């Protein structure tokens, strides 16, 4: 306990907490958490980015709160306590979005509410915050939120570029003048199935680069 | 009646929880390794959805919605509690899952043993909360419609997880590229299944 208190804020261990989820321990492609709400909102970059930010904020703050309370929470009711903390934070995020970014909040529709049941939250609270101090938990939350956001932004980038020919609403494809060569937007990318296939391809690419991530003996 | 059937069919095929909205993906990916367990989880999801959606419908319409408290008296007519809906819905779901678990344990130990570990997990399944939130957003007219929607979404989810589990069991015998094994190929298959389900788009009865 004592030498932990003397640990510098950005020790090697803490830096690792922050960076591991970006690649080796990515919440979506490796831990398989939080896919539920991840894919539906990746048609356009803007909602995807807002979603990633909201999730990061909620994960980081709830991690801190639970880590600070962890020795006071009775084991048997910990799930309910975690849900209440998460739900409160999500309500705050939802109200803020409604107030300051109403159009994005409309696009996200029910998926803001679904952050509550986003498995990343429960997963990180159970696996990390219940056993660690607030500061590492905060970094862990930030890291996981960023890892989640990274995949979201990659998927949204391809879906918006290939599906609607824009990036953040800016008509890239039109400016290049590619339409005159007979190129057309692929409407398939706007529809749900391509999101799944894209994530599958991202996983494929990531695992062929880093073969230690390959799953053994599974279908 | 026709309307109810329509909502039910739509919930299964057109607005399938997994293929159209990606809800409940976590347990869908984690539990779909064998056919038997995924069928058990699917049944449990149907069960919980059929109960929670109507209950949340009543709460939404008689307590939370703007003006819903009018039955208490004039002073409550413009109380708007809808910002509380997330926390209330999730609490209702957690409570009902607990309740369902106890009831099943008492009356059908065999079913309880086969569902066993899955029931508590359902409380944090996005499909359940998602169905309640969609019910709120789409403003179904009465409780029968809400129930039909809950049942339809549940059956659709069951169909999806049983389908993917059956395919994954067969996949044991195929030669998938190493980096694609496990999660990667499951995603791509789900995508292909979703394309197939798009064929149902636009059907009404």
């Amino acid at each position: 306990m004592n030498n932990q208190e003397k640990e510098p804020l950005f020790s090697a261990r803490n830096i690792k907490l922050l960076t591991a989820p970006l690649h080796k321990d990515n919440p979506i492609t490796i831990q398989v958490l939080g896919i539920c709400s991840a894919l539906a909102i990746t048609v356009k970059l803007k909602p995807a980015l807002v979603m990633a930010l909201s999730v990061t904020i909620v994960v980081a703050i709830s991690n801190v709160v639970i880590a600070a309370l962890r020795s006071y929470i009775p084991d048997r009711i910990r799930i309910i306590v975690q849900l209440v903390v998460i739900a409160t934070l999500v309500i705050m995020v939802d109200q803020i979005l409604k107030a300051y970014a109403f159009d994005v909040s409309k696009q996200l529709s029910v998926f803001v509410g679904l952050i509550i049941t986003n498995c990343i939250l429960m997963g990180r609270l159970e696996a990390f915050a219940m056993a660690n101090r607030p500061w590492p938990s905060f970094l862990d939350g930030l890291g996981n939120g960023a890892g989640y956001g990274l995949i979201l932004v990659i998927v949204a980038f391809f879906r918006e570029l290939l599906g609607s020919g824009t990036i953040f609403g800016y008509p890239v494809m039109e400016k290049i003048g590619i339409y005159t060569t007979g190129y057309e937007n692929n409407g398939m990318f706007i529809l749900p199935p391509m999101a799944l296939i894209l994530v599958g391809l991202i996983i494929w690419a990531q695992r062929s680069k880093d073969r230690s991530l390959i799953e053994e003996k599974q279908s | 009646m026709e309307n109810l059937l329509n909502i039910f069919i739509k919930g299964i095929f057109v607005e399938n929880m997994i293929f159209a909205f990606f809800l409940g993906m976590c347990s869908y990916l984690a539990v779909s390794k064998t056919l038997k367990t995924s069928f058990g989880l699917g049944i449990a999801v149907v069960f919980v959805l059929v109960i929670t959606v109507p209950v949340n419908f009543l709460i939404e319409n008689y307590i939370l919605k703007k003006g819903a408290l009018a039955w208490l008296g004039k002073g409550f007519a413009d109380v708007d509690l809808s910002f509380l809906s997330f926390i209330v819905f999730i609490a209702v779901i957690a409570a009902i899952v607990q309740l369902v678990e106890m009831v099943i344990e008492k009356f059908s130990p065999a079913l309880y043993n086969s569902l066993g570990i899955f029931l508590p997990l359902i409380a944090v399944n996005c499909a359940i909360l998602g169905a309640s939130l969609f019910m709120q957003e789409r403003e179904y007219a009465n409780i029968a419609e809400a129930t039909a929607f809950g049942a339809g979404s549940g059956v659709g989810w069951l169909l999806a997880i049983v389908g993917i589990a059956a395919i994954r069991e067969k996949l044991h015998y195929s030669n998938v590229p190493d980096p694609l094994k496990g999660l990667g190929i499951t995603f791509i298959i789900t995508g292909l299944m979703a394309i197939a389900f798009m064929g149902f788009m636009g059907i009404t009865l």
Side-chain angles (χ1 to χ4, degrees):
Chain A
M1 222 36 184
N2 261 336
N3 53 3
Q4 240 188 12
E5 283 194 51
K6 280 176 199 152
E7 199 180 335
L9 278 185
F10 286 102
S11 63
R13 200 178 72 98
N14 285 344
I15 292 288
K16 204 162 167 281
L17 284 177
L18 199 57
T19 53
L22 288 179
H23 174 57
K24 284 241 177 215
D25 204 17
N26 190 286
I28 291 186
T29 59
I30 308 297
Q31 303 177 51
V32 207
L33 296 174
I35 296 150
C36 324
S37 51
L39 299 176
I41 39 85
T42 50
V43 179
K44 290 256 152 53
L45 266 168
K46 200 174 163 202
L49 210 60
V50 173
M51 184 71 179
L53 271 180
S54 318
V55 170
T56 311
I57 292 170
V58 176
V59 181
I61 300 181
S62 61
N63 253 359
V64 172
V65 173
I66 293 295
L69 291 175
R70 72 188 186 284
S71 37
Y72 305 102
I73 300 174
D75 209 35
R76 295 185 60 187
I77 58 159
R78 67 179 192 286
I79 303 267
I80 285 286
V81 175
Q82 289 164 2
L83 276 178
V84 171
V85 171
I86 298 170
T88 316
L89 287 166
V90 171
I91 289 176
M92 273 152 59
V93 167
D94 182 48
Q95 299 290 324
I96 291 172
L97 280 183
K98 270 188 189 147
Y100 293 104
F102 190 71
D103 51 330
V104 179
S105 137
K106 265 272 165 291
Q107 278 172 3
L108 290 174
S109 75
V110 300
F111 292 99
V112 180
L114 285 173
I115 297 177
I116 299 174
T117 50
N118 191 320
C119 326
I120 290 182
L121 287 152
M122 293 298 272
R124 291 329 293 174
L125 290 182
E126 276 284 286
F128 200 90
M130 285 301 283
N132 284 283
R133 302 156 61 80
W135 174 245
S137 304
F138 177 69
L139 291 178
D140 180 78
L142 274 190
N144 276 286
Y148 170 87
L150 185 70
I151 301 291
L152 234 64
V153 168
I154 296 177
V155 175
F157 174 78
F158 283 113
R159 284 184 82 187
E160 186 172 346
L161 185 67
L162 300 175
S164 339
T166 56
I167 291 177
F168 282 110
Y170 182 79
V172 182
M173 290 299 195
E174 204 187 313
K175 295 282 177 207
I176 302 176
I178 201 163
Y179 290 121
T180 51
T181 63
Y183 171 87
E184 268 184 45
N185 287 329
N186 185 348
M188 199 67 193
F189 275 89
I190 301 180
L191 297 168
M194 274 321 280
L196 291 162
I197 294 179
L198 267 176
V199 173
L201 294 179
I202 292 175
I203 293 172
W204 190 5
Q206 190 190 9
R207 289 186 186 178
S208 0
K209 272 198 98 165
D210 191 341
R211 300 193 79 84
S212 62
L213 299 174
I214 291 172
E215 285 172 51
E216 295 295 323
K217 281 259 160 212
Q218 262 182 21
S219 59
Chain B
M1 196 56 214
E2 233 170 60
N3 188 22
L4 293 185
L5 199 62
N6 206 354
I7 292 177
F8 182 69
I9 297 289
K10 227 174 147 186
I12 299 179
F13 294 111
V14 186
E15 284 162 351
N16 188 293
M17 277 289 173
I18 289 197
F19 298 132
F21 298 113
F22 314 103
L23 293 180
M25 284 295 282
C26 300
S27 28
Y28 169 84
L29 291 170
V31 186
S32 63
K33 279 176 191 140
T34 57
L35 195 52
K36 212 177 152 221
T37 46
S38 44
F39 189 74
L41 180 67
I43 293 289
V45 166
V46 177
F47 211 77
V48 173
L49 270 178
V50 169
I51 301 174
T52 53
V53 174
V55 170
N56 278 338
F57 177 84
L58 290 180
I59 290 178
E60 160 79 7
N61 278 284
Y62 291 100
I63 299 179
L64 296 178
K65 218 160 132 187
K66 188 163 199 239
L69 279 173
W71 54 272
L72 265 183
K74 272 230 170 80
F76 294 94
D78 48 348
V79 178
D80 183 4
L81 291 176
S82 56
F83 65 93
L84 280 177
S85 58
F86 293 163
I87 206 163
V88 172
F89 284 175
I90 195 74
V92 165
I93 289 168
I96 286 181
V97 168
Q98 200 94 73
L99 204 69
V100 167
E101 196 182 347
M102 287 194 289
V103 169
I104 295 181
E105 189 182 9
K106 184 103 170 70
F107 291 102
S108 168
L111 181 63
Y112 178 76
N113 284 332
S114 59
L115 293 182
I117 48 161
F118 298 129
L119 272 173
L121 281 180
I122 287 180
V124 286
N125 186 327
C126 341
I128 311 285
L129 182 64
S132 286
L133 293 178
F134 274 126
M135 173 275 294
Q136 180 191 28
E137 192 180 87
R138 290 181 193 161
E139 295 173 341
Y140 286 110
N142 53 45
I143 191 164
E145 283 187 15
T147 316
F149 169 69
S153 322
V155 175
W157 202 85
L158 170 74
L159 201 66
I161 194 168
V162 168
I164 193 82
I167 294 177
R168 282 183 89 172
E169 279 194 355
K170 296 272 184 228
L171 265 185
H172 278 295
Y173 308 108
S174 20
N175 194 8
V176 181
D178 271 349
L180 206 53
K181 267 186 188 150
L183 196 57
I185 192 73
T186 312
F187 264 110
I188 293 181
I189 292 172
T190 312
L192 295 176
M193 286 169 81
I195 293 180
F197 264 67
M198 273 167 50
F200 293 111
M201 207 176 265
I203 53 166
T204 41
L205 292 181

